Amino acid sequence: MLASDGHSYYMKTLGGCPDFAQGSVAVEYVIAEAGRLIGAPVCGNSLIRIPEEFDDWPLPSGGKLTAGLAHASAALERAIEARPALTGRARDDNRRRHVGLYALYDWCFGDDPQWLHDLEGDHAAYSHDHGLYLPPHDGRITRRYLVDCADEPNSLTDPPSGLDPRAIADVSQALERISRDALVKIVRGVPASWPVSDDDLEALGWFLEHRAPAVASRIRALM
């Protein structure tokens, strides 16, 4: 979609999700924000407001727009999607970018890995479409699943050969420097109109803080 700022975005809105997966809007927001804390290559994102005059506007994929706040992910001008294999390590600076993808996937308990390759940037890799990240992988943020899975590794199975050693050190250190204040800022940024409870958001902040040191160790082990 085209926003009033003149830029194109892929938008996830409450009305475009099944009732059971409406929390995936919050998942998308949190994962993109968390990715930036560790320098992972995620597309730019923003909250976006759908005006009242577009309420109930039919979507091509089914469902309808819902007036209010939604999540917007910046669209690349020319890109191809790849899944599930993480390819193109020799292109652009993907030896470095891929390290962030390994870290984000493990840290945020990823599922359904999807990668974009920017055709305008020598196939630079991005992670996108994070609606099924976080346990239980169904578009919900739920305390009991976060607690149950907090100590479980969730590593990508792609061979780590050829990764940039400096990036491995940088991303590992970024995970170890994650501050509670930074995570609180992220979870407090989730709009109150989205169907996620404060209790579950508090658990999510704890989950990310708790996992970060162990994920840092697993990333170092990719060397």
Side-chain angles (χ1 to χ4, degrees), residues 9-204:
Y9 298 88
Y10 285 99
M11 183 172 65
K12 182 166 284 189
T13 171
L14 296 179
C17 299
D19 290 345
F20 69 87
Q22 289 195 348
S24 66
V25 180
V27 176
E28 293 278 7
Y29 173 81
V30 169
I31 302 307
E33 294 290 323
R36 266 185 287 283
L37 291 182
I38 61 170
V42 292
C43 297
N45 74 304
S46 176
L47 298 179
I48 190 166
R49 184 173 296 280
I50 302 170
E52 289 292 339
E53 55 264 35
F54 289 104
D55 194 43
D56 282 338
W57 192 278
L59 297 171
S61 57
K64 296 180 179 181
L65 287 180
T66 301
L69 291 174
H71 179 262
S73 180
L76 300 176
E77 290 296 325
R78 293 180 63 239
I80 56 174
E81 185 183 66
R83 64 167 86 176
L86 189 55
T87 60
R89 188 157 297 164
R91 309 293 291 267
D92 190 69
D93 63 344
N94 284 342
R95 293 179 64 238
R96 177 184 62 83
R97 299 172 75 88
H98 282 190
V99 176
L101 300 181
Y102 280 90
L104 184 66
Y105 192 86
D106 190 353
W107 186 33
C108 298
F109 220 80
D111 190 40
D112 189 27
Q114 299 180 46
W115 321 115
L116 289 178
H117 295 276
D118 185 1
L119 299 181
E120 301 287 353
D122 191 28
H123 287 243
Y126 292 81
S127 180
H128 84 123
D129 198 355
H130 304 117
L132 294 181
Y133 277 47
L134 303 177
H137 298 314
D138 64 357
R140 291 181 291 164
I141 298 174
T142 308
R143 172 182 283 272
R144 65 186 178 95
Y145 293 109
L146 293 167
V147 171
D148 288 347
C149 297
D151 294 310
E152 289 186 24
N154 191 66
S155 303
L156 280 172
T157 57
D158 300 80
S161 57
L163 294 173
D164 182 347
R166 182 67 257 173
I168 288 175
D170 289 345
V171 171
S172 299
Q173 291 168 11
L175 283 161
E176 290 169 340
R177 291 195 299 264
I178 292 294
S179 72
R180 181 170 299 181
D181 286 347
L183 295 174
V184 167
K185 183 177 180 181
I186 290 174
V187 298
R188 288 185 67 182
V190 174
S193 58
W194 291 358
V196 185
S197 72
D198 289 347
D199 186 57
D200 290 334
L201 286 173
E202 181 184 39
L204 175 55

